Amino acid sequence: GRAPPGCHDQCCHCHPSEADIKSKQLLIEAYMHEKEDEKARYLEKAQKRIEILDLIKKQREERIKKELVALPYKPKKIMQSQPEPASPDFSNEAQETYQALRQFD
């Protein structure tokens, strides 16, 4: 191609040297390699996250299975009668809340 007006054949902007081209290629390759490494690290983290979530799910399922197996053998709650109020100002609402919470024990 023709050089822009005001440029001569040896102009460094129009005709980069072989060294310039090589160094630019090296920079591009280094950048691409860095991007590939970064992507690999993120994929590794994603894989590890999936493995951890799978492990948590498996542990939860095993715990639930054990609880279901143990359920018939758990001692029944003896305290079926109304508990005595701790103090005279033990409100009715507080007693209902206490009863509701006792069901989760």
Side-chain angles (χ1 to χ4, degrees):
R2 289 186 53 88
C7 282
H8 47 67
D9 281 345
Q10 309 310 319
C11 178
C12 62
H13 300 292
C14 302
H15 305 287
S17 71
E18 205 167 307
D20 288 341
I21 293 171
K22 281 230 189 298
S23 67
K24 197 169 255 187
Q25 281 179 331
L26 283 174
L27 283 174
I28 291 170
E29 285 174 24
Y31 176 77
M32 298 298 277
H33 189 70
E34 198 175 299
K35 281 293 180 191
E36 286 173 20
D37 287 350
E38 189 178 359
K39 185 177 180 182
R41 281 196 307 272
Y42 280 122
L43 287 172
E44 202 174 300
K45 283 182 180 182
Q47 186 60 42
K48 192 165 275 187
R49 179 179 179 271
I50 289 169
E51 289 170 8
I52 289 170
L53 289 173
D54 283 346
L55 179 66
I56 290 171
K57 183 180 175 188
K58 184 178 152 200
Q59 288 173 338
R60 181 176 183 270
E61 288 170 354
E62 287 174 4
R63 189 182 71 242
I64 290 171
K65 210 181 294 181
K66 284 181 185 175
E67 287 174 5
L68 289 175
V69 167
L71 199 61
Y73 305 101
K74 274 192 173 179
K76 299 281 182 259
K77 296 288 181 201
I78 299 165
M79 218 172 110
Q80 295 298 329
S81 62
Q82 295 282 335
E84 291 300 312
S87 64
D89 64 327
F90 197 80
S91 71
N92 201 23
E93 184 181 342
Q95 194 162 338
E96 287 173 16
T97 305
Y98 178 77
Q99 284 296 323
L101 289 173
R102 293 292 303 157
Q103 291 175 352
F104 292 107
D105 280 350

